[in-house]
Amino acid sequence: AQRVTQPEKLLSVFKGAPVELKCNYSYSGSPELFWYVQYSRQRLQLLLRHISRESIKGFTADLNKGETSFHLKKPFAQEEDSAMYYCALLTGPGGYQKVTFGTGTKLQVIP
Amino acid sequence: EAQVTQNPRYLITVTGKKLTVTCSQNMNHEYMSWYRQDPGLGLRQIYYSMNVEVTDKGDVPEGYKVSRKEKRNFPLILESPSPNQTSLYFCASRLIGRGLATGELFFGEGSRLTVL
């Protein structure tokens, strides 16, 4: 069965410090990985996905199939990055897809 | 504007009083899903639907029902709510498929339910 693990419930960093939010997954097939972000009192929204290979708001994430990881990184944290971050795994063929979320990591950027 | 709309946004009810949380999307998405969000537990899927009249259980379906009579609507029904169903509920939709044009989930703003 597929699983997504985000080991940190809370990550506190100082403004300007590097950020790394960890995500590990278990799935034997070909995964699609996503990072969703939820700012305070707002709906969840897509931050980035591995197949687009984009940098959004300074964040990047690389899929490492050997380590089954999809860690989210940013070189210099900003106060507006404070939010809840969820890693998600999309598995299965067209008619049987499933999205599995991790338990989330709250990022707190200290001014 | 493309969006997922949930109602009500806030609801306080009592144990056993049936309630329905509506969800509607205007993006012609085949897939719709309900999640509950609880502190320390993240997002857990309740039910999902791959298309009209096609629904299936997620990870935590007990105490909930859904229906998908129209493509745009996917209501969540609590026939006899209990206090352990106090939570923040999110509806989401997406196009089915893999690749850049599909896969992304679009979420509603959430419905905060309190069962006394």
Side-chain angles (χ1 to χ4, degrees):
Chain A
Q2 51 271 41
R3 173 174 280 196
V4 177
T5 303
Q6 294 180 250
E8 304 133 330
K9 286 190 170 155
L10 173 66
L11 182 65
S12 296
V13 301
F14 285 101
K15 178 181 173 182
V19 174
E20 183 178 47
L21 299 169
K22 290 184 167 48
C23 172
N24 287 89
Y25 68 92
S26 63
Y27 178 60
S28 57
S30 178
E32 276 194 47
L33 276 297
F34 303 78
W35 276 100
Y36 285 85
V37 60
Q38 185 181 28
Y39 300 103
S40 179
R41 299 185 182 280
Q42 294 187 26
R43 70 183 77 200
L44 282 91
Q45 56 187 286
L46 180 68
L47 179 62
L48 54 80
R49 55 196 301 182
H50 88 271
I51 61 172
S52 62
R53 298 182 176 275
E54 291 178 303
S55 173
I56 305 293
K57 299 185 180 183
F59 285 98
T60 58
D62 291 316
L63 178 60
N64 185 324
K65 290 187 178 180
E67 296 182 359
T68 60
S69 68
F70 189 56
H71 303 326
L72 184 67
K73 299 177 184 178
K74 185 171 183 176
F76 308 104
Q78 304 297 314
E79 287 181 64
E80 56 265 29
D81 296 329
S82 294
M84 194 76 179
Y85 292 81
Y86 289 96
C87 183
L89 167 67
L90 173 64
T91 58
Y96 299 93
Q97 293 179 330
K98 180 176 174 63
V99 179
T100 304
F101 284 87
T103 51
T105 298
K106 183 175 182 178
L107 175 64
Q108 183 181 57
V109 180
I110 304 164
Chain B
E1 180 190 354
Q3 60 184 356
V4 179
T5 304
Q6 296 178 225
N7 280 296
R9 295 286 314 284
Y10 302 91
L11 180 63
I12 299 174
T13 190
V14 296
T15 300
K17 187 174 181 182
K18 180 180 178 180
L19 67 92
T20 300
V21 186
T22 63
C23 174
S24 181
Q25 52 93 6
N26 61 1
M27 295 170 279
N28 203 34
H29 287 169
E30 302 97 342
Y31 181 100
M32 297 186 74
S33 182
W34 277 101
Y35 298 87
R36 58 178 291 174
Q37 185 182 40
D38 301 290
L41 298 176
L43 282 165
R44 293 180 293 168
Q45 190 178 52
I46 303 170
Y47 269 95
Y48 66 97
S49 170
M50 301 293 281
N51 216 322
V52 175
E53 303 290 3
V54 181
T55 63
D56 209 345
K57 296 177 180 179
D59 299 314
V60 288
E62 295 78 20
Y64 305 94
K65 285 175 60 177
V66 293
S67 68
R68 188 89 182 273
K69 292 182 168 45
E70 304 167 284
K71 197 171 187 178
R72 63 182 292 126
N73 296 322
F74 190 47
L76 179 69
I77 304 157
L78 286 72
E79 293 271 2
S80 182
S82 62
N84 65 10
Q85 292 178 297
T86 293
S87 188
L88 179 60
Y89 292 86
F90 286 98
C91 180
S93 72
R94 66 178 172 86
L95 288 169
I96 290 177
R98 305 287 293 262
L100 283 174
T102 62
E104 177 186 352
L105 274 168
F106 292 84
F107 284 85
E109 291 186 281
S111 296
R112 186 167 292 281
L113 170 65
T114 302
V115 183
L116 301 175

